[in-house]
Amino acid sequence: MRAPAWLPQPVRRVLRVARRSWRVVALRLENYTAPVRRSWRRSLQVRVVTLTLVASSLLVGTFGWFIAYQSADILLNRAKDEVSASLQRKVRYASQQLTVHPQAYDPELPATIRETVDELYDGDQAGDTGTVVSIRAEQYPEIEPQSVPPVDTDQLISPALIQAVAGNGQVAHQIRTVEIDGRMMKYLVYGSPVSSKFGHVELYYAVPLTTEDDAADQIRTTVLITGLALVILLGVVAGLVTRLVVTPVRAAARTAQRLSAGLLDQRMKVDGEDDLALLAAAFNQMAANLQRQIVRLEEMSRLQRRFTSDVSHELRTPLTTVRMAADLIFSERDEFDPAVARSAELLQAELDRFEGLLTDLLEISRFDAGFAALDSEHTDLVPIVQRVAERLAGLAERVGVELELDLPDSPVIAEVDPRRVERVLRNLVGNAVEHGEAKPVVITMATDDAAVAITVRDHGIGLKSGEERLVFNRFWRADPSRARQTGGTGLGLSISAEDARLHGGWLEAWGAPGEGAQFRLTLPIRAGDRLVAAPLPLIPRDRTAEVT
C-alpha cells in the first residue's frame, strides 16, 4: 500500500522503510514458524496433544485461581475475626484505665495512656511479630499520640480511617502496605473509639498479615505446581492415547502407499482383538481382495493384449492371400457383369478397411506392451500439414467440405517423429471432414519458443458435455448411427492420443452441440521438454468472440 501523496517526503520515506522492515520480519517469522505449522498440519498427535494442553491449562488455571482466591479470602477473614476479638478486649481494658481521669487536661493522663499502650502491647505477647498498638486523641491536640513500638503511624493509619473512628465513632478497619524498618509489610489495621469520663480517644491495633500472606503464597505455589503437574500428566496421557490410535493409522497409510506403488503383498500387523485390530484385519482383507482383483485384471489384460497381437499377426497371412485374389478380381472387374463388378469394388473397399483395422490393432498392441518408440528428427511441420490436407482434399470435396489452412509463413522446426505426427493429423482432419456437415474445416498452426500447437476446427454436430474425454477411448463414437465416410476403425483418436503422449505432448478436444468441435495437438519444440502452455487456445476464438 502506497503512502498518501500529501504526506511529507521524509514521512513517506520512513513509512517505506517501516514497510520493508515489516516484510523482512514477517518473512523471518514465517520461516521460523514453518516447521511448527507443518507439524500442526501433518500430525494428528500434535494437534490432539496441543489442544489437550491448552484446554487443560485453561481449566486447571481457572480452578487454581478460584482455589487460591478463596483460600486467601478465608485466611483474611480469619485474621479479621481474631483481630476484631482482640480489639474488643483491648478497648475494654483501655476504657477501664482511662476512666480514672475526669478531664483531658489531667497531667497524669499522658502517662496513663503510655502505660496502657505498653500493657496492651505486652499483654498481646506480640514480641517481634510487628504488631503495633497506638492510642490517639484527635479531639484533644494537647494529648500526644502514643504507639508501641515507637514507629511513624502516619502511613499506617490513614486519614480515612481516622475520620471513620474519630469523626463518626465507628469501628473500622483497612489493609495498608507500608514500609517499616526498611521492609515493606502488609497490615490489617483496626480502629475503635475508647470512651472515658472526659470524652473519646481512638485505639488502633495493627497486625501484620505476613503469616496469612505466606500461607496464601504457599497455597498458590502448591496449586501452581499441582496444576502444572496435572497439565503435563494430561499431555502425556493424551500423547500416549493418541499414539495408540495414530500408530495403526500411520501403519495403514504406509501400507496403502506401498500397495499403491505396486507392492500388493504388503499387509498390516494384527495385534489383539480390539477395534484397531479389527481395522487392521479388515484392511488386510481389503488388500487381499484388491490384490486378487488386480492380478486377475492384469492377467485378463495380458491375455487380451496377447490375443489382439496374435490375432493381428495370424490374420496377416490369410489377408495377404485374400488381398492378392481380390486385387486380381478387382483388376478384371470391367469384364464382369455390373453386379459382380460392384461386388469386386465392395470387396476391395472392405479389405482396405480390414487391413487398416489390423494395422491399428498392431499399433495398439505395441503401445500396450510398451514397445512403441519415437524416431525423432528435426522436422518442418508446415509441409506435413499441407501434405495431410492435400491427401484428404478429394474426400473433403466429395462430402462438400472446404479445407482452410492458417499456417505460418516461415518453417516451424520441431524435434518430432514425422510419421506419427502425420498420422495424428490425418486422423484429426479425417474425423473433422467426416463430421463437418458440409461446412469449412479450419487447420491452424502457431508456435512459440517452447511448443507448437495445431488445431483442427469443424462446424459439425459437435460434442456433448463430457464427451471431450470419451473421444479418445477405443472404439468410441459420438453418434453410432452415423455411416462412416472414411471407413475408420474407431481406434484412430486413441492411437493419436498415444502418439501425442509419446512425444510428451497433449491431444485435447473441445465441443458443443451444434457448434462443432476443435482438437488441439500440442508438441514440445525440443524432445524431452515439459509443456507448460500451448500457443493456441483450446476453445475456438470464434466461439469466444460469440460468448463475449
Side-chain angles (χ1 to χ4, degrees), residues 37 68 99 116 140 144 146-147 191 243 272 306 310 317 457:
R37 289 185 282 110
T99 302
T116 301
Y140 308 101
E144 295 183 359
Q146 298 292 327
S147 300
R243 183 180 179 83
R306 182 176 178 181
D310 292 345
T317 301
R457 170 79 160 107

mmCIF file of all heavy atoms in Angstrom, residues 37 68 99 116 140 144 146-147 191 243 272 306 310 317 457:
data_model
loop_
_atom_site.group_PDB
_atom_site.id
_atom_site.type_symbol
_atom_site.label_atom_id
_atom_site.label_comp_id
_atom_site.label_asym_id
_atom_site.label_seq_id
_atom_site.Cartn_x
_atom_site.Cartn_y
_atom_site.Cartn_z
ATOM 1 N N ARG A 37 4.082 -25.017 11.896
ATOM 2 C CA ARG A 37 2.856 -25.086 11.101
ATOM 3 C C ARG A 37 2.796 -26.379 10.298
ATOM 4 O O ARG A 37 1.715 -26.967 10.115
ATOM 5 C CB ARG A 37 2.780 -23.881 10.176
ATOM 6 C CG ARG A 37 2.507 -22.575 10.931
ATOM 7 C CD ARG A 37 2.302 -21.383 10.018
ATOM 8 N NE ARG A 37 3.565 -20.889 9.506
ATOM 9 C CZ ARG A 37 3.975 -20.999 8.250
ATOM 10 N NH1 ARG A 37 3.217 -21.624 7.364
ATOM 11 N NH2 ARG A 37 5.128 -20.511 7.852
ATOM 12 N N ALA A 68 -7.088 -20.532 45.008
ATOM 13 C CA ALA A 68 -6.158 -19.611 45.666
ATOM 14 C C ALA A 68 -6.875 -18.379 46.176
ATOM 15 O O ALA A 68 -6.607 -17.897 47.301
ATOM 16 C CB ALA A 68 -5.049 -19.222 44.674
ATOM 17 N N THR A 99 -10.676 5.706 82.735
ATOM 18 C CA THR A 99 -11.836 6.200 83.465
ATOM 19 C C THR A 99 -11.420 6.993 84.718
ATOM 20 O O THR A 99 -12.144 7.874 85.179
ATOM 21 C CB THR A 99 -12.737 5.030 83.887
ATOM 22 O OG1 THR A 99 -13.122 4.316 82.715
ATOM 23 C CG2 THR A 99 -13.994 5.510 84.605
ATOM 24 N N THR A 116 -0.845 2.308 79.417
ATOM 25 C CA THR A 116 -1.902 1.455 78.841
ATOM 26 C C THR A 116 -1.450 0.846 77.523
ATOM 27 O O THR A 116 -1.660 -0.355 77.277
ATOM 28 C CB THR A 116 -3.183 2.273 78.634
ATOM 29 O OG1 THR A 116 -3.615 2.815 79.891
ATOM 30 C CG2 THR A 116 -4.286 1.413 78.027
ATOM 31 N N TYR A 140 -8.368 16.117 71.108
ATOM 32 C CA TYR A 140 -7.565 16.794 72.130
ATOM 33 C C TYR A 140 -6.135 16.915 71.636
ATOM 34 O O TYR A 140 -5.302 16.025 71.859
ATOM 35 C CB TYR A 140 -7.603 16.019 73.455
ATOM 36 C CG TYR A 140 -9.025 15.725 73.910
ATOM 37 C CD1 TYR A 140 -9.573 14.458 73.714
ATOM 38 C CD2 TYR A 140 -9.794 16.726 74.514
ATOM 39 C CE1 TYR A 140 -10.873 14.186 74.114
ATOM 40 C CE2 TYR A 140 -11.103 16.437 74.926
ATOM 41 C CZ TYR A 140 -11.645 15.178 74.717
ATOM 42 O OH TYR A 140 -12.925 14.922 75.105
ATOM 43 N N GLU A 144 -0.571 13.872 73.143
ATOM 44 C CA GLU A 144 0.264 13.325 72.081
ATOM 45 C C GLU A 144 -0.067 11.856 71.815
ATOM 46 O O GLU A 144 -0.336 11.107 72.766
ATOM 47 C CB GLU A 144 1.745 13.457 72.463
ATOM 48 C CG GLU A 144 2.216 14.872 72.576
ATOM 49 C CD GLU A 144 3.703 14.947 72.882
ATOM 50 O OE1 GLU A 144 4.316 13.837 73.017
ATOM 51 O OE2 GLU A 144 4.246 16.047 72.989
ATOM 52 N N GLN A 146 0.410 7.988 71.271
ATOM 53 C CA GLN A 146 1.348 7.032 71.853
ATOM 54 C C GLN A 146 1.270 5.723 71.059
ATOM 55 O O GLN A 146 0.164 5.191 70.822
ATOM 56 C CB GLN A 146 1.020 6.752 73.312
ATOM 57 C CG GLN A 146 1.107 7.970 74.205
ATOM 58 C CD GLN A 146 2.548 8.467 74.348
ATOM 59 O OE1 GLN A 146 3.499 7.662 74.330
ATOM 60 N NE2 GLN A 146 2.717 9.781 74.502
ATOM 61 N N SER A 147 2.446 5.197 70.642
ATOM 62 C CA SER A 147 2.493 3.959 69.846
ATOM 63 C C SER A 147 3.592 3.057 70.362
ATOM 64 O O SER A 147 4.655 3.527 70.775
ATOM 65 C CB SER A 147 2.766 4.263 68.375
ATOM 66 O OG SER A 147 1.743 5.087 67.841
ATOM 67 N N GLY A 191 -9.456 0.117 63.987
ATOM 68 C CA GLY A 191 -9.572 1.278 64.868
ATOM 69 C C GLY A 191 -10.920 1.310 65.568
ATOM 70 O O GLY A 191 -11.940 0.957 64.949
ATOM 71 N N ARG A 243 -1.186 -41.792 20.498
ATOM 72 C CA ARG A 243 -0.211 -42.656 19.822
ATOM 73 C C ARG A 243 -0.796 -44.048 19.582
ATOM 74 O O ARG A 243 -0.539 -44.661 18.536
ATOM 75 C CB ARG A 243 1.059 -42.749 20.669
ATOM 76 C CG ARG A 243 2.170 -43.565 20.014
ATOM 77 C CD ARG A 243 3.393 -43.614 20.908
ATOM 78 N NE ARG A 243 4.447 -44.401 20.310
ATOM 79 C CZ ARG A 243 5.305 -43.968 19.423
ATOM 80 N NH1 ARG A 243 5.244 -42.714 19.004
ATOM 81 N NH2 ARG A 243 6.244 -44.748 18.929
ATOM 82 N N GLY A 272 -4.026 -58.331 18.961
ATOM 83 C CA GLY A 272 -5.171 -58.278 19.852
ATOM 84 C C GLY A 272 -6.485 -58.482 19.123
ATOM 85 O O GLY A 272 -6.540 -58.937 17.973
ATOM 86 N N ARG A 306 -2.324 -60.078 -25.671
ATOM 87 C CA ARG A 306 -1.708 -61.163 -26.424
ATOM 88 C C ARG A 306 -2.645 -61.680 -27.515
ATOM 89 O O ARG A 306 -2.223 -61.962 -28.632
ATOM 90 C CB ARG A 306 -1.328 -62.302 -25.471
ATOM 91 C CG ARG A 306 -0.632 -63.466 -26.161
ATOM 92 C CD ARG A 306 -0.196 -64.505 -25.162
ATOM 93 N NE ARG A 306 0.424 -65.647 -25.826
ATOM 94 C CZ ARG A 306 0.883 -66.722 -25.206
ATOM 95 N NH1 ARG A 306 0.790 -66.786 -23.875
ATOM 96 N NH2 ARG A 306 1.435 -67.714 -25.875
ATOM 97 N N ASP A 310 -1.754 -61.612 -31.301
ATOM 98 C CA ASP A 310 -1.686 -62.881 -32.029
ATOM 99 C C ASP A 310 -2.677 -62.904 -33.185
ATOM 100 O O ASP A 310 -2.345 -63.343 -34.306
ATOM 101 C CB ASP A 310 -1.959 -64.041 -31.082
ATOM 102 C CG ASP A 310 -0.839 -64.219 -30.062
ATOM 103 O OD1 ASP A 310 0.246 -63.630 -30.286
ATOM 104 O OD2 ASP A 310 -1.039 -64.925 -29.062
ATOM 105 N N THR A 317 -1.388 -63.406 -42.746
ATOM 106 C CA THR A 317 -1.137 -64.376 -43.823
ATOM 107 C C THR A 317 -2.383 -64.635 -44.675
ATOM 108 O O THR A 317 -2.340 -64.486 -45.913
ATOM 109 C CB THR A 317 -0.608 -65.685 -43.230
ATOM 110 O OG1 THR A 317 0.601 -65.417 -42.511
ATOM 111 C CG2 THR A 317 -0.335 -66.692 -44.334
ATOM 112 N N ARG A 457 -10.487 -27.393 -36.550
ATOM 113 C CA ARG A 457 -11.813 -26.893 -36.146
ATOM 114 C C ARG A 457 -12.844 -27.234 -37.212
ATOM 115 O O ARG A 457 -12.655 -26.947 -38.395
ATOM 116 C CB ARG A 457 -11.749 -25.375 -35.971
ATOM 117 C CG ARG A 457 -13.101 -24.682 -35.789
ATOM 118 C CD ARG A 457 -13.574 -24.843 -34.371
ATOM 119 N NE ARG A 457 -14.576 -23.858 -34.020
ATOM 120 C CZ ARG A 457 -15.872 -24.110 -33.871
ATOM 121 N NH1 ARG A 457 -16.327 -25.347 -34.066
ATOM 122 N NH2 ARG A 457 -16.712 -23.163 -33.524
#
